[in-house]
Amino acid sequence: MPKAVLFDLDGVIVDTAKHHYIAWRALASELGFEFTEQDNERLKGVSRMDSLNILLEVGGLALPEDEKQQLAAKKNDQYVKAIKQMDETEILPGVTAFLTALKAAGISFALGSASKNAPIILNQIGLYDAFDAIVDGNVIEKAKPDPEVFLKGAELLGVAPEACVVFEDAQAGIEAGKNAGMYVIGVGDPEVLTGADDYVSDLSEMTLDRLAH
Ligand code: B16
Ligand code: MG
């Protein structure tokens, strides 16, 4: 049985991609171009500034750094207003039951997210105190697929990387987990996400037996 579990946030615990999309689309519209839901798929698991760079590439715009910082801050203000309306009804299927089962089995778990807003989201949905450690965009230097976010989680939990299981919905996140030497469970379609050791469509499919692989 693994000793620890590391969870990505957006797409695994909650679906914040829809809130990110509304805010990015509004910014693109102000800049005079369309940003589609398909374009938004490219932003999953990607840091805020990298997301802005992808958006500007879609719009064919090259802007100076100070202007980019202002645009990222503007998008974030709108996004934060939206996530401050979130509550526990937005927790994705199976999450609460699986976390409860992990606690009962004495398996520790941490968050491993690219988001700098992870603490706000976890507070809104009432799960902040449930996690044994939180590693988010505020404490990491290298974005996924770099393994830093998950290695830091394992270190904080005092567990060897090989004894950790990662849940991830983004391709870069699956690669980050594998680069960390961990067993990775992809959350989503195996036809779209590659390289994970196992796949579920959401956490309601997870059991402790399946975790034991
Ligand atoms: P923020 P995750 C990621 O969260 C999102 O998937 C990605 O779309 C977002 O750009 C990134 O967090 C940064 O978020 O602007 O809130 O710092 O999937 O790693 O939990
Ligand atoms: Mg994610």
Short mmCIF file of all heavy atoms in Angstrom, two decimals, residues 123-193:
data_model
loop_
_atom_site.label_atom_id
_atom_site.label_comp_id
_atom_site.label_asym_id
_atom_site.label_seq_id
_atom_site.Cartn_x
_atom_site.Cartn_y
_atom_site.Cartn_z
N ASN A 123 -10.13 26.78 1.32
CA ASN A 123 -10.95 27.37 2.39
C ASN A 123 -12.41 27.45 2.00
O ASN A 123 -13.29 27.12 2.79
CB ASN A 123 -10.43 28.78 2.75
CG ASN A 123 -9.40 28.71 3.86
OD1 ASN A 123 -9.61 28.02 4.86
ND2 ASN A 123 -8.28 29.39 3.68
N GLN A 124 -12.66 27.89 0.77
CA GLN A 124 -14.05 28.04 0.30
C GLN A 124 -14.79 26.71 0.33
O GLN A 124 -15.97 26.66 0.65
CB GLN A 124 -14.08 28.58 -1.13
CG GLN A 124 -13.73 30.04 -1.28
CD GLN A 124 -14.68 30.97 -0.54
OE1 GLN A 124 -14.24 31.81 0.21
NE2 GLN A 124 -15.97 30.78 -0.75
N ILE A 125 -14.09 25.61 -0.04
CA ILE A 125 -14.78 24.32 -0.11
C ILE A 125 -14.65 23.53 1.20
O ILE A 125 -15.09 22.38 1.28
CB ILE A 125 -14.29 23.48 -1.32
CG1 ILE A 125 -12.80 23.15 -1.21
CG2 ILE A 125 -14.61 24.21 -2.63
CD1 ILE A 125 -12.28 22.21 -2.30
N GLY A 126 -14.01 24.15 2.20
CA GLY A 126 -13.95 23.53 3.54
C GLY A 126 -12.97 22.38 3.65
O GLY A 126 -13.09 21.54 4.54
N LEU A 127 -11.96 22.33 2.77
CA LEU A 127 -11.00 21.21 2.83
C LEU A 127 -9.59 21.63 3.24
O LEU A 127 -8.68 20.80 3.24
CB LEU A 127 -10.94 20.49 1.46
CG LEU A 127 -12.12 19.59 1.10
CD1 LEU A 127 -11.89 18.92 -0.26
CD2 LEU A 127 -12.36 18.53 2.17
N TYR A 128 -9.41 22.91 3.57
CA TYR A 128 -8.05 23.38 3.88
C TYR A 128 -7.39 22.53 4.98
O TYR A 128 -6.25 22.11 4.85
CB TYR A 128 -8.06 24.86 4.30
CG TYR A 128 -6.67 25.44 4.39
CD1 TYR A 128 -6.06 26.00 3.27
CD2 TYR A 128 -5.96 25.40 5.58
CE1 TYR A 128 -4.77 26.50 3.34
CE2 TYR A 128 -4.67 25.89 5.67
CZ TYR A 128 -4.08 26.45 4.55
OH TYR A 128 -2.80 26.94 4.62
N ASP A 129 -8.13 22.27 6.04
CA ASP A 129 -7.55 21.54 7.18
C ASP A 129 -7.46 20.04 6.96
O ASP A 129 -6.83 19.34 7.75
CB ASP A 129 -8.36 21.83 8.45
CG ASP A 129 -8.19 23.29 8.86
OD1 ASP A 129 -7.10 23.85 8.64
OD2 ASP A 129 -9.17 23.88 9.37
N ALA A 130 -8.11 19.55 5.91
CA ALA A 130 -8.10 18.10 5.67
C ALA A 130 -6.72 17.64 5.20
O ALA A 130 -6.31 16.50 5.47
CB ALA A 130 -9.14 17.73 4.62
N PHE A 131 -5.98 18.51 4.51
CA PHE A 131 -4.69 18.11 3.93
C PHE A 131 -3.56 18.16 4.97
O PHE A 131 -3.49 19.09 5.78
CB PHE A 131 -4.35 19.00 2.73
CG PHE A 131 -5.16 18.67 1.52
CD1 PHE A 131 -6.44 19.18 1.35
CD2 PHE A 131 -4.67 17.80 0.56
CE1 PHE A 131 -7.22 18.83 0.25
CE2 PHE A 131 -5.43 17.45 -0.55
CZ PHE A 131 -6.71 17.97 -0.70
N ASP A 132 -2.67 17.17 4.90
CA ASP A 132 -1.52 17.12 5.81
C ASP A 132 -0.45 18.11 5.39
O ASP A 132 0.37 18.51 6.21
CB ASP A 132 -0.95 15.70 5.85
CG ASP A 132 -1.99 14.70 6.36
OD1 ASP A 132 -2.41 14.85 7.52
OD2 ASP A 132 -2.39 13.81 5.60
N ALA A 133 -0.43 18.48 4.12
CA ALA A 133 0.52 19.49 3.63
C ALA A 133 -0.06 20.11 2.36
O ALA A 133 -0.84 19.46 1.65
CB ALA A 133 1.87 18.84 3.33
N ILE A 134 0.33 21.35 2.12
CA ILE A 134 -0.14 22.03 0.91
C ILE A 134 1.07 22.59 0.16
O ILE A 134 1.84 23.38 0.71
CB ILE A 134 -1.13 23.16 1.27
CG1 ILE A 134 -2.43 22.51 1.79
CG2 ILE A 134 -1.41 24.05 0.06
CD1 ILE A 134 -3.42 23.46 2.36
N VAL A 135 1.24 22.13 -1.07
CA VAL A 135 2.29 22.69 -1.93
C VAL A 135 1.55 23.32 -3.11
O VAL A 135 0.78 22.64 -3.80
CB VAL A 135 3.27 21.60 -2.42
CG1 VAL A 135 4.39 22.24 -3.23
CG2 VAL A 135 3.84 20.82 -1.24
N ASP A 136 1.75 24.62 -3.30
CA ASP A 136 1.02 25.31 -4.36
C ASP A 136 1.93 26.28 -5.11
O ASP A 136 3.14 26.31 -4.87
CB ASP A 136 -0.22 26.04 -3.78
CG ASP A 136 0.17 27.12 -2.79
OD1 ASP A 136 1.32 27.59 -2.81
OD2 ASP A 136 -0.70 27.52 -1.98
N GLY A 137 1.34 27.07 -6.01
CA GLY A 137 2.11 27.97 -6.85
C GLY A 137 2.87 29.04 -6.08
O GLY A 137 3.74 29.70 -6.64
N ASN A 138 2.55 29.22 -4.80
CA ASN A 138 3.26 30.22 -3.99
C ASN A 138 4.61 29.73 -3.50
O ASN A 138 5.46 30.52 -3.10
CB ASN A 138 2.41 30.61 -2.76
CG ASN A 138 1.09 31.21 -3.16
OD1 ASN A 138 1.06 32.28 -3.77
ND2 ASN A 138 0.00 30.52 -2.87
N VAL A 139 4.80 28.41 -3.48
CA VAL A 139 6.04 27.88 -2.89
C VAL A 139 6.93 27.13 -3.88
O VAL A 139 8.02 26.71 -3.52
CB VAL A 139 5.75 26.97 -1.67
CG1 VAL A 139 5.09 27.77 -0.56
CG2 VAL A 139 4.89 25.77 -2.02
N ILE A 140 6.46 26.97 -5.11
CA ILE A 140 7.32 26.25 -6.06
C ILE A 140 7.99 27.23 -7.03
O ILE A 140 7.47 28.30 -7.31
CB ILE A 140 6.55 25.15 -6.85
CG1 ILE A 140 5.32 25.74 -7.53
CG2 ILE A 140 6.21 23.99 -5.96
CD1 ILE A 140 4.76 24.85 -8.60
N GLU A 141 9.15 26.82 -7.52
CA GLU A 141 9.88 27.66 -8.47
C GLU A 141 9.74 27.16 -9.89
O GLU A 141 9.75 27.93 -10.84
CB GLU A 141 11.36 27.71 -8.09
CG GLU A 141 11.62 28.71 -6.98
CD GLU A 141 12.97 28.55 -6.33
OE1 GLU A 141 13.86 27.94 -6.96
OE2 GLU A 141 13.12 29.02 -5.19
N LYS A 142 9.59 25.85 -10.03
CA LYS A 142 9.54 25.27 -11.38
C LYS A 142 8.18 24.65 -11.66
O LYS A 142 7.66 23.89 -10.84
CB LYS A 142 10.64 24.22 -11.53
CG LYS A 142 12.03 24.84 -11.39
CD LYS A 142 13.09 23.79 -11.56
CE LYS A 142 14.29 24.11 -10.69
NZ LYS A 142 14.66 23.05 -9.76
N ALA A 143 7.61 25.03 -12.80
CA ALA A 143 6.27 24.56 -13.15
C ALA A 143 6.29 23.09 -13.58
O ALA A 143 7.32 22.59 -14.05
CB ALA A 143 5.73 25.42 -14.28
N LYS A 144 5.16 22.38 -13.40
CA LYS A 144 5.00 21.05 -13.98
C LYS A 144 5.29 21.15 -15.48
O LYS A 144 4.92 22.17 -16.07
CB LYS A 144 3.55 20.55 -13.77
CG LYS A 144 3.12 20.47 -12.29
CD LYS A 144 1.60 20.23 -12.19
CE LYS A 144 1.14 20.30 -10.74
NZ LYS A 144 -0.32 20.21 -10.58
N PRO A 145 5.96 20.25 -16.13
CA PRO A 145 6.28 18.88 -15.75
C PRO A 145 7.51 18.70 -14.85
O PRO A 145 7.93 17.57 -14.62
CB PRO A 145 6.52 18.19 -17.11
CG PRO A 145 7.05 19.27 -17.98
CD PRO A 145 6.33 20.52 -17.54
N ASP A 146 8.08 19.79 -14.35
CA ASP A 146 9.15 19.62 -13.37
C ASP A 146 8.54 18.91 -12.14
O ASP A 146 7.43 19.23 -11.73
CB ASP A 146 9.72 20.98 -12.97
CG ASP A 146 10.98 20.84 -12.14
OD1 ASP A 146 10.87 20.56 -10.92
OD2 ASP A 146 12.08 20.97 -12.71
N PRO A 147 9.28 17.98 -11.55
CA PRO A 147 8.70 17.21 -10.42
C PRO A 147 8.66 17.96 -9.08
O PRO A 147 8.14 17.43 -8.09
CB PRO A 147 9.63 16.00 -10.32
CG PRO A 147 10.93 16.48 -10.87
CD PRO A 147 10.60 17.47 -11.96
N GLU A 148 9.18 19.22 -9.06
CA GLU A 148 9.35 19.93 -7.77
C GLU A 148 8.10 19.89 -6.88
O GLU A 148 8.18 19.61 -5.68
CB GLU A 148 9.73 21.39 -8.03
CG GLU A 148 9.96 22.17 -6.74
CD GLU A 148 10.18 23.68 -6.98
OE1 GLU A 148 9.94 24.17 -8.09
OE2 GLU A 148 10.60 24.34 -6.00
N VAL A 149 6.93 20.19 -7.47
CA VAL A 149 5.71 20.30 -6.65
C VAL A 149 5.40 19.00 -5.91
O VAL A 149 5.00 19.02 -4.73
CB VAL A 149 4.52 20.77 -7.53
CG1 VAL A 149 4.18 19.77 -8.61
CG2 VAL A 149 3.29 21.08 -6.70
N PHE A 150 5.62 17.86 -6.58
CA PHE A 150 5.30 16.58 -5.94
C PHE A 150 6.44 16.11 -5.02
O PHE A 150 6.18 15.51 -3.98
CB PHE A 150 4.95 15.53 -7.00
CG PHE A 150 3.69 15.88 -7.75
CD1 PHE A 150 3.65 15.88 -9.14
CD2 PHE A 150 2.52 16.23 -7.07
CE1 PHE A 150 2.49 16.22 -9.82
CE2 PHE A 150 1.36 16.57 -7.74
CZ PHE A 150 1.34 16.56 -9.12
N LEU A 151 7.69 16.40 -5.40
CA LEU A 151 8.80 16.02 -4.52
C LEU A 151 8.73 16.78 -3.20
O LEU A 151 9.00 16.24 -2.13
CB LEU A 151 10.14 16.28 -5.23
CG LEU A 151 10.45 15.33 -6.40
CD1 LEU A 151 11.74 15.73 -7.10
CD2 LEU A 151 10.54 13.88 -5.91
N LYS A 152 8.31 18.06 -3.29
CA LYS A 152 8.16 18.86 -2.07
C LYS A 152 7.06 18.30 -1.19
O LYS A 152 7.18 18.24 0.03
CB LYS A 152 7.83 20.31 -2.45
CG LYS A 152 8.78 21.27 -1.81
CD LYS A 152 8.59 22.70 -2.18
CE LYS A 152 9.91 23.39 -1.91
NZ LYS A 152 10.24 24.43 -2.81
N GLY A 153 5.97 17.87 -1.82
CA GLY A 153 4.86 17.26 -1.08
C GLY A 153 5.32 16.02 -0.34
O GLY A 153 5.05 15.84 0.85
N ALA A 154 6.07 15.14 -1.05
CA ALA A 154 6.56 13.91 -0.44
C ALA A 154 7.48 14.23 0.74
O ALA A 154 7.40 13.62 1.81
CB ALA A 154 7.30 13.08 -1.48
N GLU A 155 8.33 15.24 0.52
CA GLU A 155 9.29 15.64 1.57
C GLU A 155 8.54 16.14 2.82
O GLU A 155 8.84 15.74 3.94
CB GLU A 155 10.18 16.73 1.00
CG GLU A 155 11.37 17.09 1.86
CD GLU A 155 12.08 18.32 1.29
OE1 GLU A 155 12.16 18.47 0.06
OE2 GLU A 155 12.52 19.14 2.11
N LEU A 156 7.53 16.99 2.61
CA LEU A 156 6.77 17.51 3.75
C LEU A 156 6.04 16.40 4.50
O LEU A 156 5.85 16.48 5.71
CB LEU A 156 5.75 18.56 3.27
CG LEU A 156 6.33 19.91 2.85
CD1 LEU A 156 5.24 20.79 2.24
CD2 LEU A 156 6.97 20.63 4.04
N LEU A 157 5.63 15.37 3.77
CA LEU A 157 4.93 14.25 4.42
C LEU A 157 5.91 13.23 5.00
O LEU A 157 5.52 12.31 5.71
CB LEU A 157 3.99 13.55 3.42
CG LEU A 157 2.85 14.41 2.86
CD1 LEU A 157 2.07 13.62 1.82
CD2 LEU A 157 1.92 14.89 3.96
N GLY A 158 7.20 13.38 4.64
CA GLY A 158 8.22 12.46 5.16
C GLY A 158 8.13 11.08 4.54
O GLY A 158 8.40 10.06 5.19
N VAL A 159 7.73 11.03 3.26
CA VAL A 159 7.54 9.75 2.57
C VAL A 159 8.43 9.73 1.31
O VAL A 159 8.57 10.74 0.62
CB VAL A 159 6.05 9.59 2.18
CG1 VAL A 159 5.83 8.37 1.31
CG2 VAL A 159 5.18 9.50 3.44
N ALA A 160 9.01 8.57 1.01
CA ALA A 160 9.85 8.46 -0.19
C ALA A 160 8.98 8.60 -1.44
O ALA A 160 7.84 8.11 -1.46
CB ALA A 160 10.54 7.10 -0.20
N PRO A 161 9.51 9.23 -2.51
CA PRO A 161 8.71 9.40 -3.73
C PRO A 161 8.10 8.10 -4.26
O PRO A 161 6.95 8.08 -4.69
CB PRO A 161 9.73 9.96 -4.73
CG PRO A 161 10.75 10.66 -3.89
CD PRO A 161 10.83 9.87 -2.61
N GLU A 162 8.86 6.99 -4.18
CA GLU A 162 8.34 5.70 -4.72
C GLU A 162 7.13 5.21 -3.94
O GLU A 162 6.40 4.34 -4.43
CB GLU A 162 9.41 4.59 -4.65
CG GLU A 162 10.80 4.95 -5.08
CD GLU A 162 11.58 5.67 -3.97
OE1 GLU A 162 12.02 5.03 -3.00
OE2 GLU A 162 11.72 6.89 -4.11
N ALA A 163 6.92 5.75 -2.74
CA ALA A 163 5.77 5.30 -1.93
C ALA A 163 4.58 6.26 -2.07
O ALA A 163 3.64 6.18 -1.29
CB ALA A 163 6.20 5.16 -0.47
N CYS A 164 4.65 7.16 -3.07
CA CYS A 164 3.58 8.14 -3.26
C CYS A 164 2.77 7.84 -4.53
O CYS A 164 3.32 7.39 -5.52
CB CYS A 164 4.15 9.55 -3.42
SG CYS A 164 4.94 10.19 -1.95
N VAL A 165 1.49 8.15 -4.45
CA VAL A 165 0.61 8.08 -5.63
C VAL A 165 0.12 9.49 -5.92
O VAL A 165 -0.26 10.23 -5.02
CB VAL A 165 -0.58 7.14 -5.36
CG1 VAL A 165 -1.60 7.22 -6.51
CG2 VAL A 165 -0.11 5.70 -5.20
N VAL A 166 0.16 9.86 -7.22
CA VAL A 166 -0.28 11.20 -7.65
C VAL A 166 -1.58 11.08 -8.44
O VAL A 166 -1.72 10.19 -9.27
CB VAL A 166 0.80 11.83 -8.58
CG1 VAL A 166 0.28 13.09 -9.26
CG2 VAL A 166 2.07 12.13 -7.80
N PHE A 167 -2.50 12.01 -8.19
CA PHE A 167 -3.71 12.13 -9.02
C PHE A 167 -3.61 13.42 -9.82
O PHE A 167 -3.46 14.50 -9.24
CB PHE A 167 -4.97 12.17 -8.14
CG PHE A 167 -5.34 10.83 -7.59
CD1 PHE A 167 -4.83 10.41 -6.37
CD2 PHE A 167 -6.19 10.00 -8.29
CE1 PHE A 167 -5.16 9.16 -5.86
CE2 PHE A 167 -6.53 8.74 -7.79
CZ PHE A 167 -6.02 8.32 -6.57
N GLU A 168 -3.71 13.32 -11.12
CA GLU A 168 -3.52 14.47 -12.01
C GLU A 168 -4.46 14.44 -13.21
O GLU A 168 -4.69 13.38 -13.78
CB GLU A 168 -2.08 14.47 -12.56
CG GLU A 168 -1.18 15.51 -11.98
CD GLU A 168 -1.54 16.95 -12.29
OE1 GLU A 168 -2.39 17.21 -13.15
OE2 GLU A 168 -0.95 17.83 -11.63
N ASP A 169 -4.95 15.62 -13.61
CA ASP A 169 -5.83 15.69 -14.79
C ASP A 169 -5.14 16.35 -15.98
O ASP A 169 -5.76 16.47 -17.04
CB ASP A 169 -7.10 16.49 -14.46
CG ASP A 169 -6.81 17.98 -14.37
OD1 ASP A 169 -5.87 18.35 -13.65
OD2 ASP A 169 -7.52 18.76 -15.04
N ALA A 170 -3.91 16.82 -15.82
CA ALA A 170 -3.24 17.54 -16.91
C ALA A 170 -2.02 16.76 -17.38
O ALA A 170 -1.35 16.09 -16.58
CB ALA A 170 -2.81 18.93 -16.44
N GLN A 171 -1.73 16.83 -18.68
CA GLN A 171 -0.59 16.09 -19.23
C GLN A 171 0.72 16.49 -18.53
O GLN A 171 1.52 15.64 -18.15
CB GLN A 171 -0.50 16.34 -20.75
CG GLN A 171 0.48 15.44 -21.46
CD GLN A 171 0.15 13.95 -21.26
OE1 GLN A 171 -0.99 13.54 -21.37
NE2 GLN A 171 1.16 13.15 -20.96
N ALA A 172 0.91 17.81 -18.33
CA ALA A 172 2.15 18.27 -17.68
C ALA A 172 2.24 17.73 -16.26
O ALA A 172 3.33 17.44 -15.76
CB ALA A 172 2.20 19.80 -17.67
N GLY A 173 1.10 17.58 -15.60
CA GLY A 173 1.07 17.08 -14.22
C GLY A 173 1.39 15.59 -14.16
O GLY A 173 2.08 15.13 -13.24
N ILE A 174 0.88 14.83 -15.13
CA ILE A 174 1.20 13.39 -15.19
C ILE A 174 2.71 13.24 -15.38
O ILE A 174 3.36 12.43 -14.69
CB ILE A 174 0.42 12.71 -16.34
CG1 ILE A 174 -1.07 12.64 -15.97
CG2 ILE A 174 0.98 11.31 -16.64
CD1 ILE A 174 -1.97 12.09 -17.05
N GLU A 175 3.27 14.05 -16.26
CA GLU A 175 4.72 13.98 -16.50
C GLU A 175 5.49 14.39 -15.24
O GLU A 175 6.52 13.78 -14.91
CB GLU A 175 5.10 14.87 -17.69
CG GLU A 175 4.66 14.21 -19.00
CD GLU A 175 4.57 15.18 -20.18
OE1 GLU A 175 5.24 16.24 -20.15
OE2 GLU A 175 3.82 14.87 -21.12
N ALA A 176 4.99 15.38 -14.52
CA ALA A 176 5.65 15.81 -13.27
C ALA A 176 5.68 14.66 -12.26
O ALA A 176 6.70 14.41 -11.61
CB ALA A 176 4.92 17.02 -12.68
N GLY A 177 4.57 13.95 -12.15
CA GLY A 177 4.50 12.82 -11.22
C GLY A 177 5.45 11.71 -11.63
O GLY A 177 6.16 11.14 -10.79
N LYS A 178 5.49 11.39 -12.92
CA LYS A 178 6.41 10.34 -13.39
C LYS A 178 7.87 10.80 -13.21
O LYS A 178 8.73 10.02 -12.82
CB LYS A 178 6.14 9.98 -14.86
CG LYS A 178 4.82 9.27 -15.13
CD LYS A 178 4.50 8.12 -14.20
CE LYS A 178 5.44 6.95 -14.24
NZ LYS A 178 5.13 5.94 -13.18
N ASN A 179 8.13 12.09 -13.49
CA ASN A 179 9.49 12.62 -13.30
C ASN A 179 9.91 12.56 -11.82
O ASN A 179 11.11 12.52 -11.52
CB ASN A 179 9.59 14.07 -13.80
CG ASN A 179 9.54 14.15 -15.32
OD1 ASN A 179 9.87 13.18 -16.00
ND2 ASN A 179 9.14 15.29 -15.86
N ALA A 180 8.92 12.56 -10.93
CA ALA A 180 9.22 12.46 -9.49
C ALA A 180 9.43 11.01 -9.07
O ALA A 180 9.75 10.73 -7.90
CB ALA A 180 8.08 13.09 -8.68
N GLY A 181 9.20 10.08 -9.99
CA GLY A 181 9.37 8.65 -9.66
C GLY A 181 8.17 8.07 -8.94
O GLY A 181 8.29 7.09 -8.20
N MET A 182 7.00 8.67 -9.15
CA MET A 182 5.80 8.24 -8.43
C MET A 182 4.84 7.45 -9.33
O MET A 182 4.95 7.50 -10.56
CB MET A 182 5.08 9.48 -7.87
CG MET A 182 5.96 10.23 -6.88
SD MET A 182 5.23 11.79 -6.33
CE MET A 182 6.49 12.36 -5.19
N TYR A 183 3.91 6.74 -8.70
CA TYR A 183 2.82 6.06 -9.42
C TYR A 183 1.77 7.12 -9.70
O TYR A 183 1.35 7.83 -8.79
CB TYR A 183 2.28 4.94 -8.53
CG TYR A 183 1.24 4.05 -9.19
CD1 TYR A 183 1.62 2.93 -9.93
CD2 TYR A 183 -0.12 4.31 -9.03
CE1 TYR A 183 0.67 2.11 -10.51
CE2 TYR A 183 -1.07 3.49 -9.61
CZ TYR A 183 -0.67 2.39 -10.34
OH TYR A 183 -1.62 1.57 -10.92
N VAL A 184 1.35 7.24 -10.97
CA VAL A 184 0.43 8.33 -11.32
C VAL A 184 -0.90 7.80 -11.82
O VAL A 184 -0.95 6.93 -12.71
CB VAL A 184 1.05 9.24 -12.40
CG1 VAL A 184 0.08 10.35 -12.80
CG2 VAL A 184 2.37 9.85 -11.89
N ILE A 185 -1.97 8.32 -11.26
CA ILE A 185 -3.32 7.99 -11.73
C ILE A 185 -3.87 9.21 -12.46
O ILE A 185 -4.03 10.28 -11.88
CB ILE A 185 -4.23 7.55 -10.56
CG1 ILE A 185 -3.60 6.34 -9.84
CG2 ILE A 185 -5.64 7.21 -11.09
CD1 ILE A 185 -4.41 5.74 -8.70
N GLY A 186 -4.12 9.04 -13.76
CA GLY A 186 -4.66 10.12 -14.57
C GLY A 186 -6.16 10.24 -14.32
O GLY A 186 -6.86 9.23 -14.28
N VAL A 187 -6.62 11.48 -14.15
CA VAL A 187 -8.05 11.71 -13.95
C VAL A 187 -8.57 12.29 -15.26
O VAL A 187 -8.34 13.47 -15.57
CB VAL A 187 -8.31 12.67 -12.76
CG1 VAL A 187 -9.81 12.90 -12.58
CG2 VAL A 187 -7.68 12.11 -11.49
N GLY A 188 -9.24 11.44 -16.05
CA GLY A 188 -9.71 11.90 -17.36
C GLY A 188 -9.62 10.78 -18.38
O GLY A 188 -9.49 9.60 -18.02
N ASP A 189 -9.65 11.16 -19.63
CA ASP A 189 -9.72 10.22 -20.74
C ASP A 189 -8.33 9.70 -21.13
O ASP A 189 -7.47 10.49 -21.54
CB ASP A 189 -10.37 10.98 -21.92
CG ASP A 189 -10.64 10.09 -23.11
OD1 ASP A 189 -10.17 8.93 -23.11
OD2 ASP A 189 -11.33 10.57 -24.03
N PRO A 190 -8.10 8.36 -21.04
CA PRO A 190 -6.78 7.81 -21.41
C PRO A 190 -6.41 8.07 -22.88
O PRO A 190 -5.25 7.98 -23.25
CB PRO A 190 -6.93 6.30 -21.16
CG PRO A 190 -8.23 6.10 -20.51
CD PRO A 190 -9.05 7.34 -20.61
N GLU A 191 -7.41 8.38 -23.71
CA GLU A 191 -7.12 8.68 -25.13
C GLU A 191 -6.48 10.08 -25.25
O GLU A 191 -5.80 10.38 -26.22
CB GLU A 191 -8.41 8.70 -25.95
CG GLU A 191 -9.25 7.45 -25.80
CD GLU A 191 -9.10 6.53 -27.00
OE1 GLU A 191 -9.24 7.02 -28.12
OE2 GLU A 191 -8.81 5.33 -26.78
N VAL A 192 -6.75 10.91 -24.25
CA VAL A 192 -6.23 12.29 -24.28
C VAL A 192 -4.98 12.41 -23.42
O VAL A 192 -4.00 13.05 -23.81
CB VAL A 192 -7.32 13.29 -23.78
CG1 VAL A 192 -6.81 14.71 -23.79
CG2 VAL A 192 -8.59 13.17 -24.63
N LEU A 193 -5.03 11.81 -22.24
CA LEU A 193 -3.90 11.88 -21.29
C LEU A 193 -3.03 10.65 -21.46
O LEU A 193 -3.53 9.53 -21.39
CB LEU A 193 -4.43 11.90 -19.85
CG LEU A 193 -5.29 13.08 -19.44
CD1 LEU A 193 -5.85 12.85 -18.03
CD2 LEU A 193 -4.49 14.38 -19.47
#
